[in-house]
Structures are given as C-alpha cells and as structure tokens.
Amino acid sequence: MRPTRKLPYRLFRPTDALLPLAFLVAALLRRGNLAFELFLAWYGVKLCALATADGLRTAFAAQPSGRYAQGSALIALLMQCAGAGIAMVLGRRFHPVPMLLPLVGCGLLLNVEHVFYEYLFAVGDPGSAQLCRCITSGLTLAGMLLCAPREGASADPKDWNMLWPLIAAGASALVGLAVSLCVGGRLRPRLNPEPLRRTPLALLQTALFPALWLGIAHFTGFGGATALPLYAGLAVYAACRVPFRRAPREAAPMNWTLLIVALLAVLVGAPELAGWISYDHPLFREIPYVCMAILLGCACGFGMYGNIAKNSNE
C-alpha cells in the first residue's frame, strides 16, 4: 500500500512547545526571576526523577497493552515523587525551606501533569492531551502573573505569593488526572520497568539543550542576557521531540522547517551582532541571543531527531 503524505506530520505535537512559551511570556511581562525559578524547579524535579516523565513517550511506543501503559505511567508517577524529594534535599543549598517547598511542589505537579499528557497520547486521545497542555500552559502563566507584581523581574522573592503558581500547577495535574481516568478506561496497571530502561536516552534528550545553552551563556559571558533565549530555544527543540529518530521520509518536513527557522534567526540576529544595527531598548537587546538560542535549538533538534539518509528500510 502506498503511504499517505500525512504520516510525517503526525509526529509533530505543537503543544509540546506551549509550556516553554508560557515561561517566555511571563519573562516578557517582567516576571523573569520568578519564571526562571519555576523553570529550574520544573527541570530540577524532571532530572532528579531520571527524566521518566519525558521518557514515557519512548516507553509507551513499546507497550504491548493498555495495562502495561498504565503500569509505566504509575512507575513514572512514583519516580516524580522520588525526584521531588531529591530536589528538596539538593535545593536546600540554594533556598530556605519555606521558599523551596512551593517551588519544588510546582515542579512536581507540572511533571505529574506531563505523565498524564503522555498517557493520553498513548491511549489514543491526542485531542484531550493537547487540550490539557493548553490548560496547563495557560494556568501556569496566570499563576506566575498573579504571584509577583509587575516589577517581579527585580522584586524581592519575599514579595512573591507562591500560592498562585502552586494552585495553578495543582489544578493542571488534577485536570490531567480527571481526563486520564475518563479516557483511559478501567485501571488495571501491570507494573513494568520500561520507563527506567529508557532513562539514559531520556536524560540525554531532556538535558541536551538546556545544558548546552546555559553552559554557552555562562562561559561566553553573555552579561545581562536573561532566560528569554533559553525558553525560545527550548520551545523549538521541544517541538522536534519524537520517541525515536525519524525515518528519512518522516524527517524531511522537520528538516526543511528547521532550515527555514534557522535562516530566519540568522537574518534577524546577524545585523545587531555585526554592528549594523544597535538596539537601545533592553528587551530588544535580547534579540541576538534569542536568535542564537533558536539556532542551537534547531541544531539540537536535528541532531537528536533528524535524519538525512537517502534510503529507508520502511
């Protein structure tokens, strides 16, 4: 049977980029410090849990039945709790417990929501999964806006009302749980270690772009560059994510899209870096760094999920 032309586009999940974009918008609305702290909590719990929430996408691709999928989701949920405990222990070196507790709580709940997000895709209801992620991104942004005053980028963290992000993250997790229970059918999980087997690849996929960008920003001395480039590049990289490396026919649309995005980033960012244009507004001065992060996101997305082989064994 001749394959349909729509197949390569089924791998694309635009909602994967929504949560990084929520942090981006919060930073643009002068909640930069708060957004970065919540981002670190989200990724801190994620990595301490061995990236099992992200690794579920690959684990579900190898599940023989719904019971195994439920078992993988249960293992991932337990790992998020363990990851939150580890993050609390490690985070005490940087924050007092009263401040750290709601941050780690938000990170835990966002990762729990991600488990339900992946589970809904696994049981064949992408529409509900995408709706849940839209709700999560909107609530997360609203929580950040309500948490800190408009001058939150420079405000004292003692002025933050962390109850709002915590409520937003909790509501997101509850929505994901409710929809998963309605859609997923009867709960009969069969525990299996598949998510744990996927942790090496999942950790690499999860940490690749943030680690590279933060390392480059640190060692090259970008000075006053905020986390805006981090969120922009991460949104591009997250949109490329798939369980396995794409086959050549599946990779072609992504390759061309990344090439166009990279060229646009060069065209926008190069004039300022070359000294042809000078931006006076602090926000506009971030444009070259945002473009550099988008270029790195394109490179990481292609390196991790792309393919340029001419032949395929499909």
Side-chain angles (χ1 to χ4, degrees):
M1 180 182 295
R2 186 177 180 180
T4 64
R5 293 183 178 181
K6 293 184 179 180
L7 178 61
Y9 297 95
R10 294 178 184 174
L11 301 175
F12 177 56
R13 298 183 186 176
T15 49
D16 288 349
L18 287 184
L19 203 48
L21 289 177
F23 287 99
L24 174 67
V25 173
L28 287 172
L29 296 177
R30 302 181 64 183
R31 272 78 172 181
N33 280 355
L34 170 64
F36 191 59
E37 292 287 350
L38 283 176
F39 174 83
L40 290 179
W42 174 39
Y43 254 70
V45 173
K46 187 187 297 288
L47 294 175
C48 288
L50 303 180
T52 44
D54 289 350
L56 274 178
R57 187 170 304 189
T58 307
F60 284 150
Q63 300 299 308
S65 69
R67 293 186 64 189
Y68 279 93
Q70 291 179 355
S72 293
L74 181 57
I75 290 290
L77 289 173
L78 294 175
M79 287 298 299
Q80 305 319 302
C81 297
I86 296 171
M88 275 294 298
V89 173
L90 297 178
R92 292 183 64 181
R93 298 182 57 185
F94 308 99
H95 289 291
V97 172
M99 181 66 183
L100 183 64
L101 191 60
L103 284 173
V104 173
C106 290
L108 169 62
L109 291 169
L110 287 176
N111 281 288
V112 166
E113 186 275 339
H114 190 79
V115 173
F116 296 133
Y117 172 70
E118 295 292 351
Y119 176 70
L120 287 170
F121 273 107
V123 297
D125 193 353
S128 295
Q130 292 167 354
L131 178 60
C132 286
R133 180 47 56 94
C134 291
I135 293 172
T136 298
S137 302
L139 288 175
T140 301
L141 175 59
M144 287 187 282
L145 296 181
L146 292 171
C147 173
R150 191 170 184 272
E151 297 77 17
S154 59
D156 191 333
K158 294 180 181 178
D159 298 332
W160 297 349
N161 185 354
M162 291 302 300
L163 182 62
W164 289 111
L166 200 58
I167 291 175
S172 302
L174 286 175
V175 169
L177 172 62
V179 176
S180 297
L181 290 176
C182 293
V183 173
R186 182 181 175 185
L187 292 179
R188 295 184 301 165
R190 185 181 182 90
L191 295 180
N192 65 91
E194 192 65 28
L196 299 176
R197 295 194 187 105
R198 306 292 179 175
T199 53
L201 178 60
L203 282 169
L204 175 61
Q205 292 175 338
T206 299
L208 178 64
F209 174 80
L212 284 178
W213 176 254
L214 292 175
I216 291 172
H218 175 73
F219 289 110
T220 57
F222 282 169
T226 67
L228 283 174
L230 172 65
Y231 309 138
L234 183 61
V236 173
Y237 177 62
C240 299
R241 191 176 182 91
V242 285
F244 306 102
R245 183 179 294 275
R246 287 171 166 84
R249 181 170 58 88
E250 297 169 337
M254 187 194 76
N255 293 345
W256 283 108
T257 301
L258 290 181
L259 179 60
I260 294 171
V261 171
L263 290 175
L264 288 175
V266 170
L267 290 174
V268 172
E272 203 277 341
L273 289 175
W276 301 337
I277 298 176
S278 179
Y279 298 114
D280 294 328
H281 194 281
L283 185 60
F284 291 158
R285 285 200 290 267
E286 297 293 334
I287 290 177
Y289 303 119
V290 169
C291 292
M292 292 170 62
I294 289 175
L295 280 173
L296 181 63
C298 291
C300 290
F302 175 75
M304 187 61 67
Y305 307 111
N307 197 329
I308 56 173
K310 294 183 179 179
N311 298 317
S312 173
N313 294 324
E314 295 178 84

